Amino acid sequence: MPGAPSPDFSHLDGGDEHQAMDIVQKVVAWYNTQIATAYRAPVPDENHIAELKAARQTATDDQARLESAGPEETARIVAAYAARLKEANPESES
């Protein structure tokens, strides 16, 4: 999201279920914070809020999928979030 600070989860690059649940939960919490901040703006940007809500829903769906995911699906979800986070925080790749 342009203009919004990005969470830094670069330290969570493993593939086990606990780390996967942790990273997705932190992303969901980050989106909750961003949504609350967007609502408190003097003139809330409804399009930006809708984008944040859609991204949060995707993260929530992924979190639910982790409960029954096998090792390959868990690894795929972790990889997807790691890629998102690296894209959002390219300076953390040192």
Side-chain angles (χ1 to χ4, degrees):
M1 300 286 145
S6 300
D8 179 15
F9 301 111
S10 57
H11 63 287
L12 295 175
D13 59 355
D16 70 8
E17 183 180 336
H18 180 70
Q19 274 188 315
M21 292 295 279
D22 187 46
I23 192 172
V24 176
Q25 180 56 45
K26 287 181 180 182
V27 170
V28 169
W30 182 83
Y31 280 119
N32 287 337
T33 300
Q34 294 303 306
I35 291 166
T37 299
Y39 273 122
R40 288 191 300 268
V43 180
D45 180 344
E46 295 299 325
N47 289 330
H48 181 63
I49 292 169
E51 289 172 2
L52 290 168
K53 285 182 173 182
R56 177 185 63 187
Q57 185 60 50
T58 298
T60 301
D61 292 346
D62 285 343
Q63 185 177 25
R65 221 175 9 258
L66 282 170
E67 293 180 17
S68 61
E72 288 180 15
E73 180 72 0
T74 298
R76 186 197 64 75
I77 291 170
V78 169
Y81 279 89
R84 271 192 211 171
L85 296 169
K86 284 183 181 180
E87 182 180 301
N89 292 317
E91 68 278 356
S92 67
E93 292 184 30
S94 25

